Amino acid sequence: MALGNIAQEFLRQLDIDLVAYVAQVGPVEADSEKPLDVSEIRQKIFQNDMHVIDQDKVEDLYQLISETKEKGDTLGGIICLVATGLPAGLGSYVSWDTKLDAKLAAAAVGVNAMGNSDTTNRLLLGILAGSSFASQLIGDASLSKRPMKRVSQPLAKFGAEIALSPAGTLPARVIGQKLHGEEIQLEVASAQVKSAAIFAALEAGSPSTIIGKLPTRNHTEIMLRQFGADITTEADNLTIHVQPGQELLGQEVEVPGDMSSAAFWLTAGRLRKSWPLMS
């Protein structure tokens, strides 16, 4: 808290003023219907403990939070930050590689979080494509050799903007933006590429159809349907229809053992007769 106040005072010396407020908690929206400046927002939110603009929603929020606590559950929410007096370049990721805010966003998420996980990387490309911020994905030396155009090219048909290295590999720079629905034909038979396309289609502004080259694993479709996504697969097991705009709800999921990882140890055990195999 103290460091936050110091930082805010420092920014004021640069004629930068900012304020944060709670715009929504769970299903209850408490934002303003019209744009307000920083001083107007500050005046309204300091009138209640919830730090919301709409005073009429304070009691609803107290009741919602109380009922949720009694159930032993949790709530999500939206916090908005409004700033004035920012220097040119802040607040936009146009020409992302020359804008300060884009560089800061890339630095924040541009860590080697992918490691050697190809699945994590390719699925995140589809998820981040429809986000509202810029990001950068970096992997280890092995993952950085894997081809990524097979993912970026179909995502580009939805309107995604993904920049790869000259070799078509990581690092991948993703400029999140609004996507549009599309009918695309996948050139590679890959469950990872298909899943990335499905995630992008869920963020699109209209329905999409994804046609695979060959049938592949359908774990993503099954899981997303369980969470509430509107995804249908035709009898050919190649054509998938994705209807965006569905609210996904948290579920309790039991993940079975990963035989693909165990296969290496099972094979090694069979090669050495002296090594016992345990189920």
Side-chain angles (χ1 to χ4, degrees):
M1 181 72 74
L3 289 176
N5 290 335
I6 293 173
Q8 193 169 42
E9 183 59 34
F10 173 76
L11 291 173
R12 286 200 186 100
Q13 300 304 313
L14 301 176
D15 294 325
I16 298 175
D17 195 11
L18 53 85
V19 63
Y21 64 93
V22 177
Q24 182 174 340
V25 177
V28 180
E29 298 181 7
D31 205 345
S32 174
E33 295 183 356
K34 62 178 183 178
L36 302 175
D37 61 33
V38 171
S39 59
E40 291 175 319
I41 295 173
R42 187 176 287 116
Q43 181 181 9
K44 289 181 176 295
I45 65 174
F46 286 166
Q47 295 178 17
N48 60 82
D49 295 335
M50 289 290 181
H51 277 220
V52 298
I53 294 176
D54 191 345
Q55 307 296 321
D56 295 334
K57 297 296 180 65
V58 173
E59 292 301 323
D60 293 339
L61 289 172
Y62 274 121
Q63 182 176 353
L64 173 64
I65 293 172
S66 177
E67 293 174 350
T68 304
K69 288 176 64 177
E70 290 179 0
K71 296 177 182 178
D73 204 349
T74 58
L75 285 169
I78 299 175
I79 296 177
C80 292
L81 175 68
V82 179
T84 60
L86 296 175
L90 283 173
S92 170
Y93 48 74
V94 177
S95 300
W96 77 272
D97 56 341
T98 61
K99 298 295 185 179
L100 177 59
D101 62 329
K103 290 184 177 180
L104 292 174
V109 297
V111 296
N112 184 10
M114 303 304 102
N116 191 32
S117 178
D118 200 14
T119 301
T120 302
N121 177 72
R122 292 181 173 181
L123 267 60
L124 273 178
L125 288 175
I127 294 170
L128 293 171
S131 69
S132 58
F133 52 86
S135 53
Q136 180 169 267
L137 301 182
I138 301 173
D140 65 7
S142 176
L143 183 59
S144 297
K145 297 178 182 178
R146 302 293 300 274
M148 293 299 158
K149 283 187 177 180
R150 60 181 60 186
V151 186
S152 64
Q153 288 177 343
L155 293 181
K157 297 178 181 179
F158 294 107
E161 186 174 343
I162 302 173
L164 302 172
S165 75
T169 60
L170 295 182
R173 297 165 181 174
V174 186
I175 309 300
Q177 55 194 292
K178 291 183 178 180
L179 305 179
H180 56 78
E182 190 62 75
E183 178 175 318
I184 67 170
Q185 178 85 46
L186 299 179
E187 301 297 329
V188 179
S190 166
Q192 295 174 346
V193 175
K194 177 181 67 174
S195 297
I198 290 174
F199 279 117
L202 288 173
E203 295 296 324
S206 55
S208 297
T209 298
I210 301 166
I211 304 173
K213 186 175 183 179
L214 293 171
T216 57
R217 290 169 295 173
N218 60 350
H219 302 163
T220 300
E221 300 94 298
I222 294 174
M223 287 284 290
L224 286 173
R225 288 192 198 104
Q226 182 176 340
F227 280 79
D230 188 349
I231 301 175
T232 58
T233 303
E234 294 188 9
D236 60 4
N237 289 322
L238 295 175
T239 307
I240 301 171
H241 303 284
V242 181
Q243 177 70 46
Q246 306 299 315
E247 181 181 4
L248 303 186
L249 303 176
Q251 303 287 328
E252 182 174 332
V253 179
E254 182 176 346
V255 180
D258 184 358
M259 282 301 296
S260 62
S261 295
F264 300 104
W265 299 102
L266 293 172
T267 302
R270 294 302 300 171
L271 292 174
R272 291 290 298 271
K273 293 182 179 180
S274 60
W275 290 3
L277 293 178
M278 300 181 64
S279 60

